[in-house]
Amino acid sequence: MGGAYAAANLTGLSAEIYAENLRKNELFWLIEHRDLPVGFVRARPVDDLLYIAEICVARAHQGKGLGRRLLAHMRQYARENEFKGLAGLTWKFVPFNGPYYLHNGFEEWSLGEAGPDMRAIATSEDEQKLNAIGERMIFGERF
């Protein structure tokens, strides 16, 4: 990772980190095209919500609705499994982050609107490093 990430002293998520996250009972959905992965989402229960830890669509496949399909799948899964909504953290002003989630039915939440575990994530040391790159926001949707 370079640019602003380098200034924040962050490293990319390695295969080992992903494997460890999956062992921690995180949910993982993958979209494939011609047997190749082109998008994914990582999620886990936080408070009474399904927390979007990470969502990604390969650049060559963006703009085709795959992110919206991943979000729709997460909404359906959350409802079927009695979660009270979805939430996550992202950069507020990056077009394919904050504005993307707001365009797709989420609202920006204040720290006070989040549950205790979500507040802990939002104020964690890792999140503070990300805030050094650009303003972060909590986004959420309650059912």
Side-chain angles (χ1 to χ4, degrees), residues 108-131:
E108 183 176 356
W109 288 356
S110 69
L111 204 55
E113 292 174 279
D117 293 337
M118 182 61 120
R119 284 194 300 272
I121 293 169
T123 58
S124 69
E125 182 179 336
D126 287 343
E127 194 61 28
Q128 297 314 305
K129 288 179 185 177
L130 294 173
N131 257 321

Side-chain angles (χ1 to χ4, degrees), residues 21-38:
N21 286 337
L22 293 174
R23 282 191 287 277
K24 292 178 183 174
N25 297 319
E26 287 196 7
L27 303 168
F28 189 86
W29 291 286
L30 180 69
I31 291 182
E32 293 181 321
H33 177 71
R34 298 185 180 161
D35 296 325
L36 295 173
V38 297

Side-chain angles (χ1 to χ4, degrees), residues 93-120:
F93 299 110
V94 175
F96 50 86
N97 286 174
Y100 175 81
Y101 288 106
L102 297 177
H103 178 75
N104 281 283
F106 292 90
E107 297 177 345
E108 183 176 356
W109 288 356
S110 69
L111 204 55
E113 292 174 279
D117 293 337
M118 182 61 120
R119 284 194 300 272

Side-chain angles (χ1 to χ4, degrees), residues 52-66:
I52 301 170
E54 182 177 14
I55 188 169
C56 182
V57 173
R59 190 172 305 272
H61 295 274
Q62 291 175 0
K64 299 175 183 177
L66 298 179

